[in-house]
Amino acid sequence: MKERENFKYSEMRNKPALTLILLLMFMVPAVTSAQGKIPPFRMIQADNTLYRAEDLPFGMPVILVYFSPDCEDCQKFTKDLVSRINDFKGVSFAFITYQQVKNVADFAAKFSLLQYKNIHIGTEGSLLFVRNYYRIVHFPFIALYSKMGDLKAVYNTKEVDLDDLLWKVKLLQQNKEIKAQ
């Protein structure tokens, strides 16, 4: 009888492990098939409106920027980008952070981002969906997507080479292929 009780206990003890394995088997294909596409993010913009990935204009390259408003490298990137914004015509930007809406609004005001119709800026709050999706460690994090929403380049360093980013954007706008990184 004691042997039977031990068997049941060990059977029950292993069920969470089995459940986890089965769950991972079903989740991994779903996650990996979504990799390489724009993640289905949601953010609250500086004006407190909801903006979703599906609201991005279709048919133009997308640059997703994950940033922190108090990050010096993010501020430098944004300042440099704004000074060359005319070079990025026909590109849609999604600036996403995890910080409060007030911080987003202050950052947007500091760099006059709300005047550009192709720049959408907001917070995903404490959900950290985008941050976890890309496993972001450094700010700013930049992801470049094609007109079809396919991931083409990732910049995961403190200093982003705007010339390289612009060159890749121009290739995509001319329907030329660049290899995904």
Side-chain angles (χ1 to χ4, degrees), residues 154-180:
V154 170
Y155 298 83
N156 199 12
T157 60
K158 289 184 175 195
E159 300 233 356
V160 177
D161 183 348
L162 273 180
D163 289 325
D164 183 69
L165 180 60
L166 182 60
W167 175 73
K168 289 177 180 174
V169 164
K170 295 299 180 190
L171 287 176
L172 292 175
Q173 288 175 328
Q174 297 168 11
N175 294 321
K176 294 183 179 174
E177 191 60 34
I178 59 174
K179 293 183 181 180

Side-chain angles (χ1 to χ4, degrees), residues 98 123-129:
Y98 58 92
T123 181
E124 66 173 341
S126 61
L127 293 176
L128 302 179
F129 174 76

Side-chain angles (χ1 to χ4, degrees), residues 112-166:
S112 303
L113 297 179
L114 299 180
Q115 72 176 320
Y116 304 106
K117 294 190 185 304
N118 62 328
I119 296 180
H120 311 282
I121 181 170
T123 181
E124 66 173 341
S126 61
L127 293 176
L128 302 179
F129 174 76
V130 174
R131 190 171 182 176
N132 292 334
Y133 182 89
Y134 292 108
R135 296 181 180 103
I136 297 171
V137 182
H138 302 288
F139 298 107
F141 172 88
I142 315 295
L144 171 62
Y145 289 90
S146 71
K147 297 175 185 182
M148 301 304 291
D150 297 317
L151 181 63
K152 294 300 179 178
V154 170
Y155 298 83
N156 199 12
T157 60
K158 289 184 175 195
E159 300 233 356
V160 177
D161 183 348
L162 273 180
D163 289 325
D164 183 69
L165 180 60
L166 182 60

Side-chain angles (χ1 to χ4, degrees), residues 87-99:
D87 294 337
F88 288 90
K89 287 188 181 200
V91 177
S92 186
F93 290 88
F95 275 72
I96 304 172
T97 188
Y98 58 92
Q99 291 196 12

